Amino acid sequence: MNDNPDTLTVLAVDDEPPALDELAYLLRRRDEIGSVHTAGDATTALRLLRDGGIDAVFLDINMPGLDGLELAGILRNFAQPPSVVFVTAHDDRAVAAFDLGAVDYLLKPLREERLAEAVRRIAERRRAGADNTPAPAASDEVIPVELGGVTTLVPRSSVRWVEADGDYARLHTATGSHLVRIPISTLESRWADAGFLRVHRSFLVALPLVTGIRSVGSGLVVCLRPEGDQQVVELPVSRRHTRELKDRLIRGPMQTWTSR
């Protein structure tokens, strides 16, 4: 029982006892956490969750019977669903995890600094909910990028453009690029409401960074505002995307001004 209302009550779920013990141990070391419950399968976890009082679930994905993604899907139907953090050895399920509203996606072997970041996000979301204001993390999607055993969190707001790379996508930011196992078509649909527009089969751009379009030979390129020491970036625009790009950049703003 958690007697301190300012700390979190969490549930750790993993079908492998050593992994579950380690996760519970690391969670209990966090000052923000007052109580840690454990479950070795999704059915036991669901029973504990239905009793209420759980603020967050740290959830393995690959489990016998009901897996972690399926359990997270059930939790979305709760009147007050707990925050969900996936803890897994597989880096190819991140898209599905974030589609289910996951707060974070941690890769095994678990590192304490990444766990601390996930706990911080949960605590912020809980405080924001108590204040009846939006959670800071909810306004800007974060994409986990794994490279050489190190996970980097790339905020969507830092992405200037996205480049298709086979079944992968390369996220270009002011500080470098990051390859993620997400098709560009998925990011196109997920980020449309955040101001990203497909301008070519190979490119998705952040419209707020577009400074103009110009003709090059028989085609068009879109120009992106430089960041820091970077030069202006110019990306090709395909014919099938030209009309929508002009509508978004030119006709839309013009209609706004003429209607005033």
Side-chain angles (χ1 to χ4, degrees):
M1 179 68 68
N2 182 7
D3 296 325
N4 186 348
D6 295 327
T7 57
L8 299 166
T9 297
V10 304
L11 172 63
V13 187
D14 198 311
D15 66 308
E16 298 180 359
L20 181 59
D21 290 344
E22 179 188 16
L23 176 57
Y25 168 75
L26 292 175
L27 287 169
R28 290 187 177 108
R29 286 167 56 91
R30 304 302 313 166
D31 293 337
E32 304 95 326
I33 295 176
S35 181
V36 178
H37 302 272
T38 60
D41 58 75
T43 302
T44 302
L46 194 55
R47 185 172 65 249
L48 293 170
L49 288 160
R50 282 174 173 160
D51 291 337
I54 304 293
D55 298 305
V57 184
F58 289 77
L59 184 59
D60 187 23
I61 289 182
N62 288 346
M63 296 187 293
L66 198 68
D67 70 21
L69 292 172
E70 291 168 334
L71 176 57
I74 294 173
L75 297 182
R76 295 186 74 181
N77 296 318
F78 279 30
Q80 293 182 318
S83 297
V84 174
V85 174
F86 286 100
V87 184
T88 177
H90 304 277
D91 64 355
D92 59 347
R93 310 296 292 277
V95 174
F98 285 106
D99 277 341
L100 290 168
V103 173
D104 211 336
Y105 189 91
L106 309 182
L107 291 175
K108 299 175 181 178
L110 196 56
R111 294 185 294 120
E112 284 199 67
E113 59 268 29
R114 282 291 291 114
L115 182 64
E117 173 67 15
V119 172
R120 182 191 65 77
R121 290 183 185 177
I122 293 167
E124 284 185 351
R125 176 173 290 193
R126 187 187 186 211
R127 285 193 298 269
D131 295 337
N132 199 29
T133 57
S139 61
D140 189 8
E141 182 177 346
V142 176
I143 305 92
V145 178
E146 181 74 10
L147 179 62
V150 177
T151 303
T152 301
L153 299 177
V154 180
R156 181 185 59 205
S157 59
S158 70
V159 178
R160 307 185 67 224
W161 82 92
V162 181
E163 182 179 2
D165 193 339
D167 293 332
Y168 293 68
R170 186 170 295 279
L171 311 178
H172 292 269
T173 70
T175 57
S177 65
H178 308 273
L179 190 66
V180 294
R181 193 176 298 182
I182 306 174
I184 193 172
S185 58
T186 298
L187 294 177
E188 177 187 6
S189 59
R190 284 171 62 96
W191 291 2
D193 292 339
F196 282 80
L197 181 69
R198 190 79 169 263
V199 297
H200 188 275
R201 66 181 180 180
S202 298
F203 296 106
L204 179 69
V205 302
L207 284 177
L209 300 181
V210 173
T211 59
I213 53 178
R214 69 184 184 90
S215 299
V216 176
S218 60
L220 292 175
V221 296
V222 61
C223 308
L224 300 184
R225 185 177 67 228
E227 294 281 348
D229 296 332
Q230 291 185 341
Q231 297 180 343
V232 173
V233 174
E234 295 186 345
L235 301 173
V237 180
S238 65
R239 289 186 178 181
R240 62 174 295 194
H241 293 100
T242 297
R243 182 181 180 86
E244 184 178 4
L245 176 63
K246 289 183 175 180
D247 283 344
R248 296 284 293 273
L249 291 180
I250 301 173
R251 298 189 183 98
M254 285 299 294
Q255 290 174 357
T256 300
W257 279 102
T258 56
S259 64
R260 291 181 177 180

mmCIF file of all heavy atoms in Angstrom, residues 49-65:
data_model
loop_
_atom_site.group_PDB
_atom_site.id
_atom_site.type_symbol
_atom_site.label_atom_id
_atom_site.label_comp_id
_atom_site.label_asym_id
_atom_site.label_seq_id
_atom_site.Cartn_x
_atom_site.Cartn_y
_atom_site.Cartn_z
ATOM 1 N N LEU A 49 -4.822 -4.543 -11.843
ATOM 2 C CA LEU A 49 -5.188 -3.247 -12.407
ATOM 3 C C LEU A 49 -6.673 -2.946 -12.220
ATOM 4 O O LEU A 49 -7.063 -1.792 -12.020
ATOM 5 C CB LEU A 49 -4.825 -3.212 -13.892
ATOM 6 C CG LEU A 49 -3.322 -3.121 -14.183
ATOM 7 C CD1 LEU A 49 -3.012 -3.573 -15.598
ATOM 8 C CD2 LEU A 49 -2.848 -1.696 -13.962
ATOM 9 N N ARG A 50 -7.496 -3.965 -12.276
ATOM 10 C CA ARG A 50 -8.932 -3.752 -12.106
ATOM 11 C C ARG A 50 -9.282 -3.366 -10.683
ATOM 12 O O ARG A 50 -10.355 -2.807 -10.427
ATOM 13 C CB ARG A 50 -9.689 -5.007 -12.534
ATOM 14 C CG ARG A 50 -9.815 -5.128 -14.050
ATOM 15 C CD ARG A 50 -10.426 -6.428 -14.495
ATOM 16 N NE ARG A 50 -10.685 -6.437 -15.930
ATOM 17 C CZ ARG A 50 -10.861 -7.517 -16.655
ATOM 18 N NH1 ARG A 50 -10.798 -8.722 -16.081
ATOM 19 N NH2 ARG A 50 -11.085 -7.442 -17.960
ATOM 20 N N ASP A 51 -8.389 -3.672 -9.736
ATOM 21 C CA ASP A 51 -8.617 -3.249 -8.354
ATOM 22 C C ASP A 51 -8.382 -1.750 -8.182
ATOM 23 O O ASP A 51 -8.785 -1.177 -7.172
ATOM 24 C CB ASP A 51 -7.696 -4.028 -7.402
ATOM 25 C CG ASP A 51 -8.083 -5.500 -7.319
ATOM 26 O OD1 ASP A 51 -9.250 -5.814 -7.622
ATOM 27 O OD2 ASP A 51 -7.211 -6.319 -6.965
ATOM 28 N N GLY A 52 -7.722 -1.122 -9.176
ATOM 29 C CA GLY A 52 -7.496 0.317 -9.148
ATOM 30 C C GLY A 52 -6.271 0.691 -8.330
ATOM 31 O O GLY A 52 -5.617 -0.141 -7.694
ATOM 32 N N GLY A 53 -5.936 1.974 -8.368
ATOM 33 C CA GLY A 53 -4.841 2.498 -7.569
ATOM 34 C C GLY A 53 -3.473 2.426 -8.207
ATOM 35 O O GLY A 53 -2.477 2.824 -7.597
ATOM 36 N N ILE A 54 -3.378 1.912 -9.434
ATOM 37 C CA ILE A 54 -2.090 1.817 -10.131
ATOM 38 C C ILE A 54 -1.925 3.045 -11.030
ATOM 39 O O ILE A 54 -2.755 3.303 -11.894
ATOM 40 C CB ILE A 54 -1.996 0.537 -10.982
ATOM 41 C CG1 ILE A 54 -2.232 -0.710 -10.126
ATOM 42 C CG2 ILE A 54 -0.652 0.472 -11.693
ATOM 43 C CD1 ILE A 54 -1.160 -0.979 -9.112
ATOM 44 N N ASP A 55 -0.839 3.772 -10.809
ATOM 45 C CA ASP A 55 -0.582 4.968 -11.621
ATOM 46 C C ASP A 55 0.093 4.648 -12.952
ATOM 47 O O ASP A 55 -0.127 5.356 -13.940
ATOM 48 C CB ASP A 55 0.310 5.949 -10.844
ATOM 49 C CG ASP A 55 -0.347 6.445 -9.569
ATOM 50 O OD1 ASP A 55 -1.471 6.976 -9.653
ATOM 51 O OD2 ASP A 55 0.264 6.288 -8.488
ATOM 52 N N ALA A 56 0.931 3.607 -12.963
ATOM 53 C CA ALA A 56 1.687 3.300 -14.177
ATOM 54 C C ALA A 56 2.029 1.818 -14.227
ATOM 55 O O ALA A 56 2.183 1.159 -13.192
ATOM 56 C CB ALA A 56 2.964 4.131 -14.242
ATOM 57 N N VAL A 57 2.157 1.313 -15.466
ATOM 58 C CA VAL A 57 2.514 -0.082 -15.697
ATOM 59 C C VAL A 57 3.779 -0.134 -16.534
ATOM 60 O O VAL A 57 3.855 0.499 -17.598
ATOM 61 C CB VAL A 57 1.385 -0.835 -16.431
ATOM 62 C CG1 VAL A 57 1.745 -2.313 -16.567
ATOM 63 C CG2 VAL A 57 0.069 -0.678 -15.711
ATOM 64 N N PHE A 58 4.781 -0.875 -16.049
ATOM 65 C CA PHE A 58 6.003 -1.123 -16.800
ATOM 66 C C PHE A 58 5.877 -2.536 -17.350
ATOM 67 O O PHE A 58 5.890 -3.516 -16.600
ATOM 68 C CB PHE A 58 7.228 -0.960 -15.902
ATOM 69 C CG PHE A 58 7.499 0.465 -15.535
ATOM 70 C CD1 PHE A 58 6.743 1.097 -14.557
ATOM 71 C CD2 PHE A 58 8.474 1.199 -16.189
ATOM 72 C CE1 PHE A 58 6.974 2.422 -14.214
ATOM 73 C CE2 PHE A 58 8.708 2.524 -15.871
ATOM 74 C CZ PHE A 58 7.953 3.143 -14.875
ATOM 75 N N LEU A 59 5.764 -2.649 -18.669
ATOM 76 C CA LEU A 59 5.184 -3.825 -19.285
ATOM 77 C C LEU A 59 6.087 -4.444 -20.347
ATOM 78 O O LEU A 59 6.503 -3.767 -21.287
ATOM 79 C CB LEU A 59 3.845 -3.406 -19.908
ATOM 80 C CG LEU A 59 2.936 -4.431 -20.553
ATOM 81 C CD1 LEU A 59 2.542 -5.511 -19.569
ATOM 82 C CD2 LEU A 59 1.685 -3.711 -21.073
ATOM 83 N N ASP A 60 6.387 -5.729 -20.178
ATOM 84 C CA ASP A 60 7.087 -6.478 -21.219
ATOM 85 C C ASP A 60 6.119 -6.714 -22.384
ATOM 86 O O ASP A 60 4.896 -6.714 -22.194
ATOM 87 C CB ASP A 60 7.581 -7.814 -20.649
ATOM 88 C CG ASP A 60 8.474 -8.569 -21.618
ATOM 89 O OD1 ASP A 60 9.071 -7.930 -22.505
ATOM 90 O OD2 ASP A 60 8.572 -9.795 -21.476
ATOM 91 N N ILE A 61 6.634 -6.921 -23.580
ATOM 92 C CA ILE A 61 5.765 -7.144 -24.740
ATOM 93 C C ILE A 61 5.559 -8.625 -25.012
ATOM 94 O O ILE A 61 4.426 -9.113 -25.083
ATOM 95 C CB ILE A 61 6.335 -6.444 -25.991
ATOM 96 C CG1 ILE A 61 6.194 -4.927 -25.848
ATOM 97 C CG2 ILE A 61 5.602 -6.922 -27.249
ATOM 98 C CD1 ILE A 61 6.687 -4.137 -27.043
ATOM 99 N N ASN A 62 6.644 -9.367 -25.157
ATOM 100 C CA ASN A 62 6.526 -10.786 -25.514
ATOM 101 C C ASN A 62 6.269 -11.632 -24.269
ATOM 102 O O ASN A 62 7.186 -11.928 -23.502
ATOM 103 C CB ASN A 62 7.806 -11.263 -26.221
ATOM 104 C CG ASN A 62 7.900 -10.696 -27.623
ATOM 105 O OD1 ASN A 62 6.928 -10.185 -28.152
ATOM 106 N ND2 ASN A 62 9.068 -10.787 -28.220
ATOM 107 N N MET A 63 5.011 -11.992 -24.065
ATOM 108 C CA MET A 63 4.624 -12.846 -22.949
ATOM 109 C C MET A 63 3.645 -13.895 -23.462
ATOM 110 O O MET A 63 2.910 -13.639 -24.425
ATOM 111 C CB MET A 63 3.964 -12.024 -21.833
ATOM 112 C CG MET A 63 4.872 -11.009 -21.177
ATOM 113 S SD MET A 63 4.100 -10.216 -19.744
ATOM 114 C CE MET A 63 2.793 -9.277 -20.548
ATOM 115 N N PRO A 64 3.625 -15.076 -22.863
ATOM 116 C CA PRO A 64 2.671 -16.102 -23.295
ATOM 117 C C PRO A 64 1.239 -15.675 -23.005
ATOM 118 O O PRO A 64 0.974 -14.906 -22.079
ATOM 119 C CB PRO A 64 3.069 -17.322 -22.455
ATOM 120 C CG PRO A 64 3.789 -16.764 -21.272
ATOM 121 C CD PRO A 64 4.485 -15.534 -21.762
ATOM 122 N N GLY A 65 0.316 -16.172 -23.800
ATOM 123 C CA GLY A 65 -1.080 -15.772 -23.625
ATOM 124 C C GLY A 65 -1.275 -14.356 -24.124
ATOM 125 O O GLY A 65 -0.881 -14.007 -25.244
#
